[in-house]
Amino acid sequence: MTRSYISGWGFHVPEKVVTNDELAAIMDTSDEWIRSRTGIQTRHFAAPGEGPSDLAVPASKRALQRAGLTVKDIDFIIFATFTSDYYAPGAGVLLQHKMGFGNIGAMDIKMQCSGFVYGLSVADQFIRTGTYKHILLVGAEVQSTALNLTDEGREVSVLFGDGAGAAVVSATEEDRGVISTHLHSQGEFAKELCAPLPSTAKQPWISAEDIEQGRHHPIMNGREVFRHAVNRFPEVIREALEANGITTQDLKMIIPHQANIRITLEVARRLKIPPEMVFSNIHKYGNTTAASIPIALSEVLAEGLIEQGDYIVLAAFGAGFTWASALLKW
Ligand code: COA
């Protein structure tokens, strides 16, 4: 039976590091407030003119190198982002050109924080059916340019950072790789966390007045997001375990989307597992949306925290609301 597994991985974050104190210098917040509510200490912001497809290039090169492959070996690109460089076309085609891939297919996935797991599920289907052998799966975001870095936007803007993570998803006949994926959405909560503009339902899609009124910034009902996240994460992790007849005792590690350390700790508490089993690097990068899981996976592997044969779960929750999980045998 053909399965898909992650044969290469890598990440890249922009050079510029922004500390909590730097944010506190431009808005009414503090290092203490941000650390205690979110666990975040620093995040990276892209340079002017740098888009997610740019951040994706070094991440993808590292993933290809790790897999021992070249651009010629890749059959398809899946690019998870909700902040593509242009409104259209998507970032996948830009990466295809910047990396010098052949005229292979490139698909964008706009599923916010769940984007990488949704992308992995799509890659898995293409590989299991024998359509493709090697797929480049990227999660990359430039969110800093959309943030309201004033007192008014402080609840949202202290949370997010920019970055890119990549994985090569390859075919194998071995007993390893993606075991199952589980995808969900609930659009009735779309407005609880969203970037409402530009909107094609408006003419023009965005106006000078919209910008004057600050309607071009992302908006969030933090408490509502938190409340749903701490239910959906454990639920979708249990779904992945139960679908395969295993329990948390069989798991080496959970690599969740990095939203907030308090959400991560609450997930561990509700699953009755030690907090160290739920990986966190949010202190360094903040919430990088679709990039957070592949960045976290790269760091887990660099730190040698998982070995071949270990079961791990990737899990995400985010705007939409969307949530998803994947059980992998490493
Ligand atoms: N700095 C200082 N104060 C801030 C602040 C900031 N950056 N942002 C908000 N506040 C203020 C609020 O105005 C409010 O003030 P008030 O009590 O005078 O009205 C107060 O802090 C709210 O504090 P608290 O109740 O302790 O906040 P919280 O525990 O609800 O935490 C979040 C706020 C945003 C950190 C929390 O709701 C959260 O993490 N939500 C999920 C967000 C998320 O993960 N989104 C992405 C999902 S993929």
Side-chain angles (χ1 to χ4, degrees), residues 85-241:
D85 308 52
Y86 302 150
Y87 189 77
V93 299
L94 302 181
L95 185 64
Q96 179 271 332
H97 175 63
K98 287 177 184 173
M99 293 274 297
F101 287 111
N103 294 342
I104 56 174
M107 174 198 279
D108 272 40
I109 297 225
K110 196 175 192 174
M111 299 308 292
Q112 304 67 246
C113 304
S114 305
F116 187 80
V117 182
Y118 266 74
L120 183 62
S121 180
V122 174
D124 184 47
Q125 312 310 315
F126 273 129
I127 302 248
R128 277 177 195 258
T129 55
T131 309
Y132 298 126
K133 274 210 165 82
H134 301 291
I135 295 175
L136 176 65
L137 169 61
V138 173
E141 309 280 3
V142 170
Q143 311 182 102
S144 55
T145 45
L147 299 176
N148 180 356
L149 296 169
T150 70
D151 293 356
E152 271 182 4
R154 64 182 182 172
E155 190 181 355
V156 180
S157 55
V158 300
L159 301 177
F160 293 94
D162 303 333
V168 178
V169 186
S170 299
T172 179
E173 301 302 318
E174 289 171 27
D175 173 29
R176 66 182 300 196
V178 178
I179 309 291
S180 65
T181 54
H182 308 270
L183 313 179
H184 297 280
S185 71
Q186 197 173 14
E188 71 191 271
F189 296 112
K191 289 188 178 158
E192 303 297 339
L193 176 57
C194 69
L197 293 176
S199 164
T200 58
K202 272 168 52 71
Q203 203 175 16
W205 293 2
I206 188 164
S207 66
E209 197 204 332
D210 287 329
I211 292 171
E212 249 166 54
Q213 303 289 322
R215 291 194 285 255
H216 58 304
H217 299 300
I219 49 176
M220 178 182 78
N221 179 348
R223 291 232 166 122
E224 195 66 358
V225 173
F226 196 97
R227 200 169 65 79
H228 284 262
V230 294
N231 285 324
R232 295 306 190 188
F233 267 113
E235 184 184 283
V236 81
I237 292 165
R238 282 199 195 98
E239 183 182 348
L241 299 178

Side-chain angles (χ1 to χ4, degrees), residues 12-15 45-55 85 142 145 162:
H12 173 76
V13 286
E15 225 169 275
F45 280 5
E50 200 172 30
S53 68
D54 299 308
L55 301 183
D85 308 52
V142 170
T145 45
D162 303 333

Side-chain angles (χ1 to χ4, degrees), residues 29 33 37 113 154-155 220 222-223 260 262 287 317:
T29 190
W33 193 97
R37 301 308 196 292
C113 304
R154 64 182 182 172
E155 190 181 355
M220 178 182 78
R223 291 232 166 122
N260 181 319
R262 284 158 64 214
N287 180 342
F317 174 88

